[in-house]
Amino acid sequence: VQLQASGGGLVQPGGSLRLSCAAAGFNPEDYSIGWFRQPPGKEREGVSCISSRGDSAYYADSVKGRFAISRDNFKNTVYLQMNSLKPEDTAVYYCTTAPTACGINRRTWWGQGTQVTVSS
């Protein structure tokens, strides 16, 4: 079983990035997927999640209106489009099947994380 997060990088304030979370070894259609992040020196926090069918989503207040989550179950991939990025979005971003507002899954797996740095 694997969750592979990718797409992070260095971007200027106001810029955009799209993170991808590729699932392997299980049927992602049966799982809601969440994105969490851990800023430097801080605890991990929930960012967004999407239901197994993709018909509902949740966003933390800090990213609402700037981030958009989507999924393509044919490609076994969940995306997090991040626009209007701010320095406070700097963090390691993880995708996971951990319990979120979008659902409680049978199993919990975490991806390895991808670094997002927003700086001029």
Side-chain angles (χ1 to χ4, degrees), residues 4-11 16-20 35-41 80 82 85-95 111-119:
Q4 183 76 34
S6 62
L10 174 63
V11 64
S16 298
L17 283 174
R18 188 176 79 159
L19 304 184
S20 298
W35 284 97
F36 285 69
R37 67 185 181 187
Q38 187 163 18
L80 185 67
M82 306 187 297
L85 283 162
K86 305 175 181 180
E88 50 263 44
D89 294 318
T90 295
V92 178
Y93 284 72
Y94 301 87
C95 57
Q112 85 290 359
T114 185
Q115 176 70 48
V116 172
T117 302
V118 185
S119 175

Side-chain angles (χ1 to χ4, degrees), residues 10-119:
L10 174 63
V11 64
Q12 292 186 344
S16 298
L17 283 174
R18 188 176 79 159
L19 304 184
S20 298
C21 176
F26 68 100
N27 186 359
E29 295 181 6
D30 295 335
Y31 288 80
S32 59
I33 301 292
W35 284 97
F36 285 69
R37 67 185 181 187
Q38 187 163 18
K42 297 184 179 180
E43 294 187 354
R44 194 174 296 185
E45 60 184 14
V47 176
S48 181
C49 62
I50 188 166
S51 62
S52 58
R53 297 180 181 180
D55 54 358
S56 65
Y58 164 87
Y59 299 94
D61 287 343
S62 59
V63 306
K64 203 170 292 183
R66 300 187 297 121
F67 290 12
I69 192 170
S70 61
R71 67 189 300 159
D72 185 337
N73 285 341
F74 291 104
K75 294 183 178 179
N76 294 346
T77 302
V78 173
Y79 304 98
L80 185 67
Q81 178 67 43
M82 306 187 297
N83 300 324
S84 302
L85 283 162
K86 305 175 181 180
E88 50 263 44
D89 294 318
T90 295
V92 178
Y93 284 72
Y94 301 87
C95 57
T96 179
T97 61
T100 65
C102 297
I104 299 174
N105 298 309
R106 293 189 298 271
R107 298 289 300 274
T108 293
W109 296 292
W110 288 86
Q112 85 290 359
T114 185
Q115 176 70 48
V116 172
T117 302
V118 185
S119 175

